[in-house]
């Protein structure tokens, strides 16, 4: 039996699901939205034809309390580092702490 709470999603899973899984593991968010914006960029630079190249993440996490905007973005980027270097062309980040 596989424990899905500790097993990462397979690379073949939809990229939005992998992003959500990674951010959930790293930041334990109280709110998380992963929006695939790739259809807005079809045929443009960075479109690799997969339909999974441009994303927006909206994440609220207690881990962001007292952190600067730059520190919050770095935390998101760190959780997704390998994906940013291989599969994600563009990532918009809206990161906040609870109550903001």
């Amino acid at each position: 039996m596989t424990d899905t709470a500790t097993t990462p999603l397979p690379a073949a899973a939809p990229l939005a699901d992998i992003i959500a899984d990674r951010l959930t593991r790293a930041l334990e968010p109280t709110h998380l939205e992963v929006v695939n914006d790739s259809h807005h960029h079809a045929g443009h630079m960075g479109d690799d034809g997969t339909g999974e190249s441009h994303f927006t993440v909206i994440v609220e996490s207690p881990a962001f309390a007292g952190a600067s905007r730059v520190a919050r973005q770095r935390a998101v980027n760190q959780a997704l580092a390998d994906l940013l270097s291989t599969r994600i062309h563009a990532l918009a980040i809206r990161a906040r702490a609870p109550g903001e």
Side-chain angles (χ1 to χ4, degrees), residues 7-66:
T7 304
L9 291 176
L15 190 50
D17 292 347
I18 294 170
I19 292 168
D21 181 62
R22 297 268 187 97
L23 294 177
T24 298
R25 291 168 185 282
L27 302 171
E28 299 180 357
T30 53
H31 177 81
L32 176 63
E33 294 177 51
V34 178
V35 181
N36 185 340
D37 298 319
S38 302
H39 62 283
H40 295 297
H41 304 278
H44 298 166
M45 180 184 269
D47 174 28
D48 62 4
T50 64
E52 296 187 313
S53 57
H54 295 70
F55 292 88
T56 297
V57 295
I58 302 163
V59 58
E60 176 183 279
S61 173
F64 296 144

Side-chain angles (χ1 to χ4, degrees), residues 37-99:
D37 298 319
S38 302
H39 62 283
H40 295 297
H41 304 278
H44 298 166
M45 180 184 269
D47 174 28
D48 62 4
T50 64
E52 296 187 313
S53 57
H54 295 70
F55 292 88
T56 297
V57 295
I58 302 163
V59 58
E60 176 183 279
S61 173
F64 296 144
S68 69
R69 181 179 59 84
V70 171
R72 294 170 185 195
Q73 291 188 355
R74 284 183 181 148
V76 171
N77 288 338
Q78 182 178 4
L80 304 176
D82 64 315
L83 298 175
L84 287 165
S85 67
T86 58
R87 297 181 63 187
I88 299 171
H89 175 72
L91 180 67
I93 301 169
R94 289 188 239 155
R96 63 181 183 260

